[in-house]
Amino acid sequence: MTQDPPAHRAPVHSATPARRPTLRDVALLAGVSTKTASRVVNGEAGVAAAKVAAVQQAVGKLGYRPNFTASSLRRLKGRTAAIAAVLEDVSNPFSSALHRALEDVARDRGVMIFAGSVDEDPERERALIHAFIARQADAIVVVAASDSQRYLAGEVNAGTPVVFVDRPPVGIDVDAVLVDNHAGAAEAVHHLVAHGHRAIAYLGDLLSIATARQRFQGFKEALSDHGIRPSPDHIAHDLHTEGDAQRAVRRLFSGQAPPTALFTAQNLVTIGAVRALRELGRHHEVALVGFDDFPLADLLQPPVTVIAQDPSTMGRLAASLIFRRLDGEQWTPTVHFVPTRMVARGSGEIPGPYATA
Amino acid sequence: MTQDPPAHRAPVHSATPARRPTLRDVALLAGVSTKTASRVVNGEAGVAAAKVAAVQQAVGKLGYRPNFTASSLRRLKGRTAAIAAVLEDVSNPFSSALHRALEDVARDRGVMIFAGSVDEDPERERALIHAFIARQADAIVVVAASDSQRYLAGEVNAGTPVVFVDRPPVGIDVDAVLVDNHAGAAEAVHHLVAHGHRAIAYLGDLLSIATARQRFQGFKEALSDHGIRPSPDHIAHDLHTEGDAQRAVRRLFSGQAPPTALFTAQNLVTIGAVRALRELGRHHEVALVGFDDFPLADLLQPPVTVIAQDPSTMGRLAASLIFRRLDGEQWTPTVHFVPTRMVARGSGEIPGPYATA
DNA sequence: TTTGATCTTGACATCGTTGTCGGCGGACGA
DNA sequence: TCGTCCGCCGACAACGATGTCAAGATCAAA
């Protein structure tokens, strides 16, 4: 910008929008140095009352707002009071509950949240994280989609707190807040078996997702605890949308020897399964336990039994780890497990052929 | 920092985390000036191949990442390639769908989103917006909670694009993407009347919210079009949670002359009403139309008829307005209406006492 | 070989702000 | 009256990066 705009027109309602006023403008108008203006704006002591007044008046007149970015460049090593949340999809209930929990903790400290959706795309995960790093996020919360996050080693080493949520870090050593997917899935299976089921189908998300693998593992092992070997026909992986799940369930019941119970390993899969069962008119015969709770699960017919995760607690825990690190506390990276909780609502208690009662 | 940390230890796994490398570190290591390093990092032409290689190697070795904040300070008047979204609550479906739509449009331009939740608190709205402004957001998307946003005049005048979504701006003249709440509510009422209802109750959110007022207005006028004067007992305002709504519905039906149909003017209110009706066992007798769609509405018994808004379209439109302004396009602020769409699913078609069929 | 043009390169100022530090002036004690 | 101390203030450098510009280096043409 070589040619300046005609200096200081009417500060309000000018046709060509004036650039944002800077501290220099304020200082000029108040007849003090920028440093003194800075002192006043930051409420530092040791400024004559008259100048304080002059500066405050200038601030008001110009509508000055401090540039926090520039300020933080000088202030503390460029901390920006912003943390990044790399989520699966800001608009899905799990992610957004997590997001909200982070925000709630961050709010008290005047920290803002950058959020972005990865959509299970490893490429996008990297791109997002790099964008956040470039913007100097003070810390990063990651729900990982890629199969290795070694690329984050530099950041971790540079002292940027990183916390993985829901899915374990691979290739780097950082804090994680996880769910015991294995145990949760096993609990679902035990519950179904206890209600007289042996032909239990597994419907799960992309096998590329660590949590999906763990849930499947828990499913298999729990079955084998009961001496049950699952039929390969009763296992469907890589279901990532409601539609996928719906089709998979239709397929299950169009085959011979359909299952008497379903274990759905994820949110949308559960909903897709509910849709399909409803469509088939079998929602009151086929038992269903889903992993991950969802709004209105209690209002469906039958109400859906779930293994509930607690994204809110997970988010709060993740945030507190972040802030403890930012406050200088140190410890060796740790995995924190947040327990799951089975919520029996009805669909999981539909008796199977081996029911004793 | 007077005493430098022992220069360049092992770049990985050092005990005391090294500060993030800067361009200066890269330049030093590569034996070039910072400016040349800058040129290489930014892929500018006119650098000798040997130096390009040296710089790139240094970048790799140090794990250098450009500081976008610092760079944008000098680059374009401090544009940060970030836009702010001031939402009601990042974890509610409407807000998060909006958020996601903004993100989708912004993503293509390498722009990130700052999101924050206001929770209908005017104080928090101001605080959030000021925090975003201080962080130099390039533009602001606002779902307003306060009764005047005159405090934004300075920003608007400084050329920061501001778009209001869902609720109209008060006290300032900016673009807005709104829903015709009046018409939507009226459509709901006409629908219910057409199905034989005359005793229709209104259950709505905080009257401080403009959209709630408009919906109530639409409700009243539509009724009066049919020559119906609503009973004061059938009107409940200021319901902001499911619980509020649930209690209000219980109250409605504990009185004499309960309504035969409900118009619920908001998401959570609708769900609360469904809960209450279910609890009372009247969900198959009392008609219900809700404003704003919600996930699984189609799976409830009966499926819930709604006046659907389209947060995704609204978000995309808002984002496109933002980016057109950021690209320098100019026009006088305009209100854009995104149409509502009635989705008849069952609950709204339960016949009333005056049904003709 | 000289001239002029082109290509590379780094010194320097700058973005908006704050930390450092030294200077000025008045108050106070000796 | 003089010296000190303290309160107040601003010049300056710095944060990390890039725009400007002019100085060398290089090379082609004369």
Side-chain angles (χ1 to χ4, degrees), chain B residues 23 35 38 42 64 67:
Chain B
L23 201 54
K35 180 68 228 210
S38 165
N42 288 85
Y64 169 76
N67 181 335

PDB file of all heavy atoms in Angstrom, chain B residues 23 35 38 42 64 67, chain D residues 16-21:
ATOM      1  N   LEU B  23      12.013 -19.133  10.816  1.00  0.00           N
ATOM      2  CA  LEU B  23      12.651 -19.005   9.512  1.00  0.00           C
ATOM      3  C   LEU B  23      14.123 -18.654   9.692  1.00  0.00           C
ATOM      4  O   LEU B  23      14.972 -19.037   8.897  1.00  0.00           O
ATOM      5  CB  LEU B  23      11.940 -17.908   8.710  1.00  0.00           C
ATOM      6  CG  LEU B  23      12.120 -17.969   7.206  1.00  0.00           C
ATOM      7  CD1 LEU B  23      11.723 -19.320   6.668  1.00  0.00           C
ATOM      8  CD2 LEU B  23      11.313 -16.878   6.543  1.00  0.00           C
ATOM      9  N   LYS B  35      15.384 -13.905   4.123  1.00  0.00           N
ATOM     10  CA  LYS B  35      14.560 -13.583   2.958  1.00  0.00           C
ATOM     11  C   LYS B  35      14.626 -14.702   1.922  1.00  0.00           C
ATOM     12  O   LYS B  35      13.610 -15.100   1.357  1.00  0.00           O
ATOM     13  CB  LYS B  35      15.040 -12.272   2.340  1.00  0.00           C
ATOM     14  CG  LYS B  35      14.270 -11.839   1.119  1.00  0.00           C
ATOM     15  CD  LYS B  35      12.850 -11.456   1.465  1.00  0.00           C
ATOM     16  CE  LYS B  35      11.866 -12.108   0.547  1.00  0.00           C
ATOM     17  NZ  LYS B  35      10.645 -11.353   0.319  1.00  0.00           N
ATOM     18  N   SER B  38      12.695 -17.536   3.100  1.00  0.00           N
ATOM     19  CA  SER B  38      11.288 -17.219   2.893  1.00  0.00           C
ATOM     20  C   SER B  38      10.881 -17.517   1.453  1.00  0.00           C
ATOM     21  O   SER B  38       9.852 -18.126   1.184  1.00  0.00           O
ATOM     22  CB  SER B  38      11.033 -15.746   3.227  1.00  0.00           C
ATOM     23  OG  SER B  38       9.795 -15.333   2.719  1.00  0.00           O
ATOM     24  N   ASN B  42       8.103 -20.266   0.325  1.00  0.00           N
ATOM     25  CA  ASN B  42       6.896 -19.850  -0.380  1.00  0.00           C
ATOM     26  C   ASN B  42       6.910 -20.228  -1.849  1.00  0.00           C
ATOM     27  O   ASN B  42       6.039 -19.811  -2.605  1.00  0.00           O
ATOM     28  CB  ASN B  42       6.705 -18.341  -0.244  1.00  0.00           C
ATOM     29  CG  ASN B  42       6.283 -17.984   1.159  1.00  0.00           C
ATOM     30  OD1 ASN B  42       7.113 -17.823   2.049  1.00  0.00           O
ATOM     31  ND2 ASN B  42       4.992 -17.898   1.376  1.00  0.00           N
ATOM     32  N   TYR B  64      10.597 -27.395  10.367  1.00  0.00           N
ATOM     33  CA  TYR B  64      10.068 -26.031  10.341  1.00  0.00           C
ATOM     34  C   TYR B  64       8.663 -25.972   9.771  1.00  0.00           C
ATOM     35  O   TYR B  64       8.350 -26.613   8.774  1.00  0.00           O
ATOM     36  CB  TYR B  64      10.981 -25.135   9.514  1.00  0.00           C
ATOM     37  CG  TYR B  64      10.381 -23.784   9.229  1.00  0.00           C
ATOM     38  CD1 TYR B  64      10.335 -22.795  10.211  1.00  0.00           C
ATOM     39  CD2 TYR B  64       9.817 -23.495   7.984  1.00  0.00           C
ATOM     40  CE1 TYR B  64       9.772 -21.560   9.958  1.00  0.00           C
ATOM     41  CE2 TYR B  64       9.247 -22.265   7.725  1.00  0.00           C
ATOM     42  CZ  TYR B  64       9.229 -21.303   8.716  1.00  0.00           C
ATOM     43  OH  TYR B  64       8.650 -20.082   8.457  1.00  0.00           O
ATOM     44  N   ASN B  67       4.948 -19.778  10.435  1.00  0.00           N
ATOM     45  CA  ASN B  67       4.008 -19.165  11.359  1.00  0.00           C
ATOM     46  C   ASN B  67       3.054 -18.296  10.556  1.00  0.00           C
ATOM     47  O   ASN B  67       3.357 -17.160  10.194  1.00  0.00           O
ATOM     48  CB  ASN B  67       4.764 -18.327  12.384  1.00  0.00           C
ATOM     49  CG  ASN B  67       3.833 -17.689  13.383  1.00  0.00           C
ATOM     50  OD1 ASN B  67       2.659 -17.477  13.086  1.00  0.00           O
ATOM     51  ND2 ASN B  67       4.340 -17.392  14.554  1.00  0.00           N
TER      52      ASN B  67
ATOM     53  P    DG D  16      10.021 -15.698  17.355  1.00  0.00           P
ATOM     54  OP1  DG D  16       9.621 -16.943  18.024  1.00  0.00           O
ATOM     55  OP2  DG D  16      11.435 -15.324  17.264  1.00  0.00           O
ATOM     56  O5'  DG D  16       9.430 -15.691  15.876  1.00  0.00           O
ATOM     57  C5'  DG D  16       8.128 -16.186  15.637  1.00  0.00           C
ATOM     58  C4'  DG D  16       7.725 -15.802  14.241  1.00  0.00           C
ATOM     59  O4'  DG D  16       7.759 -14.372  14.108  1.00  0.00           O
ATOM     60  C3'  DG D  16       8.657 -16.347  13.151  1.00  0.00           C
ATOM     61  O3'  DG D  16       7.859 -17.091  12.254  1.00  0.00           O
ATOM     62  C2'  DG D  16       9.251 -15.109  12.515  1.00  0.00           C
ATOM     63  C1'  DG D  16       8.220 -14.050  12.826  1.00  0.00           C
ATOM     64  N9   DG D  16       8.739 -12.692  12.888  1.00  0.00           N
ATOM     65  C8   DG D  16       9.929 -12.286  13.393  1.00  0.00           C
ATOM     66  N7   DG D  16      10.099 -10.978  13.328  1.00  0.00           N
ATOM     67  C5   DG D  16       8.942 -10.516  12.748  1.00  0.00           C
ATOM     68  C6   DG D  16       8.537  -9.193  12.429  1.00  0.00           C
ATOM     69  O6   DG D  16       9.163  -8.147  12.604  1.00  0.00           O
ATOM     70  N1   DG D  16       7.283  -9.154  11.854  1.00  0.00           N
ATOM     71  C2   DG D  16       6.498 -10.267  11.618  1.00  0.00           C
ATOM     72  N2   DG D  16       5.314 -10.041  11.060  1.00  0.00           N
ATOM     73  N3   DG D  16       6.853 -11.502  11.913  1.00  0.00           N
ATOM     74  C4   DG D  16       8.087 -11.552  12.477  1.00  0.00           C
ATOM     75  P    DA D  17       8.485 -17.814  10.972  1.00  0.00           P
ATOM     76  OP1  DA D  17       7.689 -19.013  10.724  1.00  0.00           O
ATOM     77  OP2  DA D  17       9.936 -17.904  11.148  1.00  0.00           O
ATOM     78  O5'  DA D  17       8.200 -16.780   9.796  1.00  0.00           O
ATOM     79  C5'  DA D  17       6.860 -16.561   9.385  1.00  0.00           C
ATOM     80  C4'  DA D  17       6.750 -15.265   8.639  1.00  0.00           C
ATOM     81  O4'  DA D  17       7.380 -14.224   9.398  1.00  0.00           O
ATOM     82  C3'  DA D  17       7.449 -15.214   7.273  1.00  0.00           C
ATOM     83  O3'  DA D  17       6.458 -15.459   6.277  1.00  0.00           O
ATOM     84  C2'  DA D  17       7.959 -13.797   7.170  1.00  0.00           C
ATOM     85  C1'  DA D  17       7.637 -13.165   8.508  1.00  0.00           C
ATOM     86  N9   DA D  17       8.748 -12.396   9.048  1.00  0.00           N
ATOM     87  C8   DA D  17       9.866 -12.850   9.677  1.00  0.00           C
ATOM     88  N7   DA D  17      10.689 -11.899  10.057  1.00  0.00           N
ATOM     89  C5   DA D  17      10.064 -10.739   9.629  1.00  0.00           C
ATOM     90  C6   DA D  17      10.417  -9.381   9.725  1.00  0.00           C
ATOM     91  N6   DA D  17      11.539  -8.952  10.308  1.00  0.00           N
ATOM     92  N1   DA D  17       9.576  -8.486   9.200  1.00  0.00           N
ATOM     93  C2   DA D  17       8.442  -8.922   8.620  1.00  0.00           C
ATOM     94  N3   DA D  17       8.000 -10.166   8.485  1.00  0.00           N
ATOM     95  C4   DA D  17       8.865 -11.028   9.015  1.00  0.00           C
ATOM     96  P    DT D  18       6.885 -15.554   4.773  1.00  0.00           P
ATOM     97  OP1  DT D  18       5.828 -16.304   4.096  1.00  0.00           O
ATOM     98  OP2  DT D  18       8.288 -15.963   4.662  1.00  0.00           O
ATOM     99  O5'  DT D  18       6.781 -14.018   4.344  1.00  0.00           O
ATOM    100  C5'  DT D  18       5.503 -13.417   4.271  1.00  0.00           C
ATOM    101  C4'  DT D  18       5.650 -11.984   3.820  1.00  0.00           C
ATOM    102  O4'  DT D  18       6.613 -11.308   4.657  1.00  0.00           O
ATOM    103  C3'  DT D  18       6.169 -11.815   2.387  1.00  0.00           C
ATOM    104  O3'  DT D  18       5.448 -10.733   1.827  1.00  0.00           O
ATOM    105  C2'  DT D  18       7.635 -11.476   2.578  1.00  0.00           C
ATOM    106  C1'  DT D  18       7.563 -10.637   3.840  1.00  0.00           C
ATOM    107  N1   DT D  18       8.819 -10.502   4.638  1.00  0.00           N
ATOM    108  C2   DT D  18       9.209  -9.240   5.034  1.00  0.00           C
ATOM    109  O2   DT D  18       8.599  -8.239   4.756  1.00  0.00           O
ATOM    110  N3   DT D  18      10.380  -9.199   5.765  1.00  0.00           N
ATOM    111  C4   DT D  18      11.153 -10.267   6.147  1.00  0.00           C
ATOM    112  O4   DT D  18      12.172 -10.105   6.812  1.00  0.00           O
ATOM    113  C5   DT D  18      10.687 -11.563   5.702  1.00  0.00           C
ATOM    114  C7   DT D  18      11.451 -12.779   6.073  1.00  0.00           C
ATOM    115  C6   DT D  18       9.564 -11.620   4.984  1.00  0.00           C
ATOM    116  P    DG D  19       5.358 -10.592   0.261  1.00  0.00           P
ATOM    117  OP1  DG D  19       3.943 -10.799  -0.102  1.00  0.00           O
ATOM    118  OP2  DG D  19       6.407 -11.400  -0.378  1.00  0.00           O
ATOM    119  O5'  DG D  19       5.714  -9.056   0.053  1.00  0.00           O
ATOM    120  C5'  DG D  19       4.781  -8.055   0.468  1.00  0.00           C
ATOM    121  C4'  DG D  19       5.438  -6.690   0.373  1.00  0.00           C
ATOM    122  O4'  DG D  19       6.582  -6.662   1.269  1.00  0.00           O
ATOM    123  C3'  DG D  19       5.974  -6.355  -1.022  1.00  0.00           C
ATOM    124  O3'  DG D  19       5.706  -4.984  -1.307  1.00  0.00           O
ATOM    125  C2'  DG D  19       7.471  -6.619  -0.917  1.00  0.00           C
ATOM    126  C1'  DG D  19       7.758  -6.313   0.557  1.00  0.00           C
ATOM    127  N9   DG D  19       8.846  -7.134   1.098  1.00  0.00           N
ATOM    128  C8   DG D  19       8.943  -8.500   1.063  1.00  0.00           C
ATOM    129  N7   DG D  19      10.016  -8.954   1.652  1.00  0.00           N
ATOM    130  C5   DG D  19      10.670  -7.819   2.106  1.00  0.00           C
ATOM    131  C6   DG D  19      11.882  -7.680   2.821  1.00  0.00           C
ATOM    132  O6   DG D  19      12.646  -8.564   3.211  1.00  0.00           O
ATOM    133  N1   DG D  19      12.172  -6.349   3.086  1.00  0.00           N
ATOM    134  C2   DG D  19      11.399  -5.275   2.708  1.00  0.00           C
ATOM    135  N2   DG D  19      11.849  -4.076   3.052  1.00  0.00           N
ATOM    136  N3   DG D  19      10.255  -5.389   2.043  1.00  0.00           N
ATOM    137  C4   DG D  19       9.954  -6.683   1.777  1.00  0.00           C
ATOM    138  P    DT D  20       6.187  -4.334  -2.633  1.00  0.00           P
ATOM    139  OP1  DT D  20       5.262  -3.236  -2.908  1.00  0.00           O
ATOM    140  OP2  DT D  20       6.401  -5.412  -3.627  1.00  0.00           O
ATOM    141  O5'  DT D  20       7.612  -3.728  -2.250  1.00  0.00           O
ATOM    142  C5'  DT D  20       7.717  -2.880  -1.125  1.00  0.00           C
ATOM    143  C4'  DT D  20       9.076  -2.204  -1.107  1.00  0.00           C
ATOM    144  O4'  DT D  20      10.064  -3.078  -0.501  1.00  0.00           O
ATOM    145  C3'  DT D  20       9.638  -1.832  -2.488  1.00  0.00           C
ATOM    146  O3'  DT D  20      10.191  -0.531  -2.381  1.00  0.00           O
ATOM    147  C2'  DT D  20      10.715  -2.890  -2.737  1.00  0.00           C
ATOM    148  C1'  DT D  20      11.220  -3.160  -1.320  1.00  0.00           C
ATOM    149  N1   DT D  20      11.800  -4.500  -1.069  1.00  0.00           N
ATOM    150  C2   DT D  20      12.984  -4.591  -0.352  1.00  0.00           C
ATOM    151  O2   DT D  20      13.585  -3.637   0.070  1.00  0.00           O
ATOM    152  N3   DT D  20      13.424  -5.872  -0.149  1.00  0.00           N
ATOM    153  C4   DT D  20      12.826  -7.040  -0.582  1.00  0.00           C
ATOM    154  O4   DT D  20      13.321  -8.129  -0.335  1.00  0.00           O
ATOM    155  C5   DT D  20      11.608  -6.878  -1.329  1.00  0.00           C
ATOM    156  C7   DT D  20      10.882  -8.072  -1.850  1.00  0.00           C
ATOM    157  C6   DT D  20      11.150  -5.622  -1.535  1.00  0.00           C
ATOM    158  P    DC D  21      10.576   0.234  -3.689  1.00  0.00           P
ATOM    159  OP1  DC D  21      10.250   1.653  -3.446  1.00  0.00           O
ATOM    160  OP2  DC D  21      10.058  -0.458  -4.884  1.00  0.00           O
ATOM    161  O5'  DC D  21      12.146   0.084  -3.668  1.00  0.00           O
ATOM    162  C5'  DC D  21      12.857   0.381  -2.466  1.00  0.00           C
ATOM    163  C4'  DC D  21      14.286  -0.113  -2.586  1.00  0.00           C
ATOM    164  O4'  DC D  21      14.320  -1.538  -2.336  1.00  0.00           O
ATOM    165  C3'  DC D  21      14.884   0.094  -3.991  1.00  0.00           C
ATOM    166  O3'  DC D  21      16.140   0.705  -3.850  1.00  0.00           O
ATOM    167  C2'  DC D  21      15.002  -1.314  -4.543  1.00  0.00           C
ATOM    168  C1'  DC D  21      15.229  -2.108  -3.260  1.00  0.00           C
ATOM    169  N1   DC D  21      14.913  -3.548  -3.391  1.00  0.00           N
ATOM    170  C2   DC D  21      15.695  -4.488  -2.699  1.00  0.00           C
ATOM    171  O2   DC D  21      16.618  -4.092  -1.992  1.00  0.00           O
ATOM    172  N3   DC D  21      15.408  -5.810  -2.851  1.00  0.00           N
ATOM    173  C4   DC D  21      14.391  -6.188  -3.640  1.00  0.00           C
ATOM    174  N4   DC D  21      14.142  -7.492  -3.743  1.00  0.00           N
ATOM    175  C5   DC D  21      13.595  -5.240  -4.340  1.00  0.00           C
ATOM    176  C6   DC D  21      13.883  -3.946  -4.199  1.00  0.00           C
TER     177       DC D  21
END
